[in-house]
Amino acid sequence: MTQIPAEARMSPESELAAVVAEALELADAQLVINKSFAPFVFMLDADGTIHRGEVPKEIQGTMPPDPLLAVKLTIDLFSGHAENLLAMVAVLDPQAGKNEDSLHLWAEHRSGISQIIRVDFTRKKFLKHPSLGDPRVEAQEPHVWAGGAAPAADEWWHEGLSEQAIQDVFDLVGAAVPFAQDQLGKNGSLAPYGLTTDLTGEIGHHMAYQEPDEDDEIDSAESVLMMTEGFRQKLESLRGTCVISDVRLTPSNGEGVGLDALRLHIEHTEGLSMLLLKPYEIDEQSRAVAFGETAVIPTPAQVWSE
């Protein structure tokens, strides 16, 4: 955490500029150390403290190729905190590995300032510090505080879907999460599990049966693949699918504490494919399962794939 000085808080413009400067400083340091970095967000609270959040490695691979959309989704992951914030800045290095590249920053202030900032830089193997160009700033419509209030991080997914499709998704999640919560409380873990909604709206429950190995364990990834393939064989009779598994989210830099999470891959015949990542903790005494804030991420279809 960083405390910005009082002189940097004379106006919304100066507050946002201070957060952008902190973000660029961290991006520069990460480029020096790692030549790239995981997408991250800096958040300014009412006390003038800047907090940092990093997108977990498991989510990074699901980011869309369009940098503007990706940086918006990056900031969406943390927009649940926006009610208590003054500013948010998301930073993305969308084409890590190329010699010429551009940082993309989404910078927004509760007062109504909203910008996309692009900073060209040169990434060279033996360059101590990357050569950063001058920022190119373009005004944008507010995204986090659109209409004066922070939107929910999961509002995007229902765009273009029928009311029936939206209800199908709610039904799948409503059946999957309580089951997973019960299994986690009883067993401390969860074997991959599948749910479907058929053409009548009825929910079906599915498991992939495997012989345990010599350690009495099953291959979770193989179970997910087996269920996905099974759903592909039934597409004409299905409206939606959900594959739920127990995963470990770890920071991409290998530092910090990992998080246990439920991973729900939800698809619908109307074209939706998304991941829900729900971090959880299990109380050692009561075995009660408490969930953290859910991340909602677009991802390539596996069931209704071409």
Side-chain angles (χ1 to χ4, degrees):
M1 295 188 294
T2 302
Q3 192 77 24
I4 65 173
E7 57 268 23
R9 305 194 63 195
M10 302 302 292
S11 68
E13 290 82 1
S14 62
E15 285 183 330
L16 192 58
V19 182
V20 169
E22 286 285 333
L24 285 174
E25 183 176 345
L26 176 62
D28 178 70
Q30 289 294 310
L31 289 170
V32 171
I33 298 171
N34 303 318
K35 307 304 179 187
S36 64
F37 56 83
F40 65 86
V41 174
F42 271 8
M43 299 166 281
L44 177 66
D45 66 20
D47 296 326
T49 303
I50 299 175
H51 306 264
R52 176 189 168 191
E54 183 176 300
V55 175
K57 183 177 181 180
E58 286 76 5
I59 300 179
Q60 295 169 35
T62 68
M63 286 291 181
D66 179 76
L68 183 56
L69 179 57
V71 80
K72 283 184 177 181
L73 288 174
T74 298
I75 210 168
D76 274 347
L77 295 175
F78 301 90
S79 63
H81 304 286
E83 182 179 352
N84 302 313
L85 298 175
L86 295 179
M88 298 179 73
V89 175
V91 188
L92 181 75
D93 173 17
Q95 299 180 23
K98 293 189 175 182
N99 289 331
E100 302 296 332
D101 210 343
S102 297
L103 300 178
H104 288 71
L105 295 83
W106 184 273
E108 192 165 343
H109 194 281
R110 178 182 285 275
S111 66
I113 304 171
S114 186
Q115 303 167 335
I116 182 72
I117 304 172
R118 297 178 176 88
V119 181
D120 295 332
F121 68 93
T122 301
R123 190 196 327 257
K124 294 182 179 179
K125 186 174 182 180
F126 300 108
L127 189 65
K128 185 176 181 181
H129 284 278
S131 178
L132 298 181
D134 294 329
R136 306 190 306 279
V137 181
E138 298 176 22
Q140 301 286 314
E141 290 296 320
H143 180 64
V144 179
W145 287 283
D154 60 356
E155 285 184 353
W156 62 269
W157 66 264
H158 56 70
E159 294 181 4
L161 296 182
S162 67
E163 291 185 8
Q164 180 63 73
I166 295 171
Q167 187 60 52
D168 286 341
V169 173
F170 287 150
D171 290 344
L172 287 168
V173 175
V177 174
F179 172 80
Q181 189 171 22
D182 178 70
Q183 291 298 302
L184 289 171
K186 290 178 179 177
N187 307 318
S189 62
L190 174 75
Y193 188 77
L195 299 99
T196 55
T197 179
D198 65 14
L199 300 182
T200 68
E202 184 176 350
I203 296 292
H205 301 260
H206 309 268
M207 293 285 286
Y209 294 98
Q210 298 181 60
E211 290 293 334
D213 61 19
E214 58 185 16
D215 297 320
D216 200 29
E217 296 181 351
I218 64 170
D219 187 332
S220 293
E222 182 64 23
S223 292
V224 170
L225 289 174
M226 290 171 63
M227 279 187 286
T228 301
E229 182 58 33
F231 295 158
R232 287 198 197 105
Q233 305 304 316
K234 303 177 182 179
L235 288 185
E236 293 183 358
S237 64
L238 299 178
R239 292 203 308 236
T241 64
C242 173
V243 176
I244 184 168
S245 52
D246 191 6
V247 299
R248 182 74 172 173
L249 304 179
T250 55
S252 60
N253 59 8
E255 299 178 357
V257 179
L259 296 174
D260 293 314
L262 296 180
R263 178 187 186 274
L264 289 78
H265 187 173
I266 297 173
E267 295 187 47
H268 198 276
T269 186
E270 292 190 11
L272 174 69
S273 181
M274 67 178 179
L275 294 179
L276 303 187
L277 293 174
K278 295 179 68 68
Y280 70 83
E281 292 183 351
I282 303 175
D283 185 271
E284 292 184 1
Q285 307 252 336
S286 67
R287 306 304 298 169
V289 180
F291 290 112
E293 186 175 351
T294 301
V296 187
I297 310 295
T299 192
Q302 299 297 320
V303 178
W304 276 274
S305 59
E306 296 182 358

